[in-house]
Amino acid sequence: MIKNDLEYDVTLSWVNGMGRAIAMLERDEEKKNSDPDIWQIHYDGVTSQRQDLQEQVTEYEALIAHNPNQPIVLQIDSMDELSDLLIKARIAFKITQEELAYLCDFTTEQIKLFEDKDYQNASYLDFLAVANALGVEIVDGKFVAELDDFFKQKLANIRLKNHLDDDMKAAS
């Protein structure tokens, strides 16, 4: 799962590089004819990896294009990916790690560590605090995230404070 713009740029670069590699493989008639089984394994492997990465790119682009004022239905393939729900919701709502930390009364470093380790280092209560701040719930058997008015106001307050702080720094 792509978690930020840097990972997005790197993944996109890999997708493009693998596209070039696939094109080179397709043109390599000598390898296709001399060792077709090895060629097919190589081709299938690169094609499969590229498809997986392209799906991650598409998902990230959908998350960053999401209107943060609207609820979002979040998809995971297994319960092992439960932590991805929190990261996806944060991205879709255009909330920074610093802002999420403020909403949950954590430090920015805690949120960064949680996300870096896919919340494996978070306690159950920490996980619930983040899920609550992001409004992640199960609705009709689907995971849905929607910021409630309390957290929208809290987010607006921190953004206003940060904006005023930036203006004061610029004026100095």
Side-chain angles (χ1 to χ4, degrees), residues 141-152:
K142 296 180 182 181
F143 292 100
V144 177
E146 181 175 18
L147 290 176
D148 71 18
D149 291 339
F150 173 79
F151 287 108
K152 282 181 183 178

Side-chain angles (χ1 to χ4, degrees), residues 117-146:
K117 297 190 182 289
D118 296 322
Y119 284 85
Q120 298 301 312
N121 56 338
S123 72
Y124 179 69
L125 292 176
D126 293 340
F127 186 90
L128 286 180
V130 174
N132 182 51
L134 295 169
V136 176
E137 297 178 337
I138 298 175
V139 178
D140 296 328
K142 296 180 182 181
F143 292 100
V144 177
E146 181 175 18

Side-chain angles (χ1 to χ4, degrees), residues 33-104:
N33 295 329
S34 67
D35 204 348
D37 292 338
I38 296 297
W39 180 91
Q40 191 65 52
I41 290 169
H42 192 184
Y43 180 83
D44 291 347
V46 175
T47 303
S48 175
Q49 285 181 325
R50 183 176 189 272
Q51 181 179 348
D52 290 345
L53 293 176
Q54 183 59 57
E55 288 170 5
Q56 290 181 41
V57 165
T58 300
E59 176 185 55
Y60 186 76
E61 289 172 344
L63 290 171
I64 62 174
H66 178 75
N67 179 346
N69 296 315
Q70 298 296 316
I72 184 167
V73 176
L74 301 164
Q75 302 292 325
I76 58 172
D77 295 326
S78 74
M79 294 307 282
D80 293 337
E81 298 173 355
L82 202 53
S83 62
D84 290 354
L85 294 173
L86 303 181
I87 299 167
K88 289 176 183 182
R90 181 185 63 76
I91 293 167
F93 292 142
K94 316 232 182 327
I95 296 174
T96 66
Q97 290 176 330
E98 179 184 4
E99 291 168 340
L100 181 58
Y102 173 77
L103 294 178
C104 301

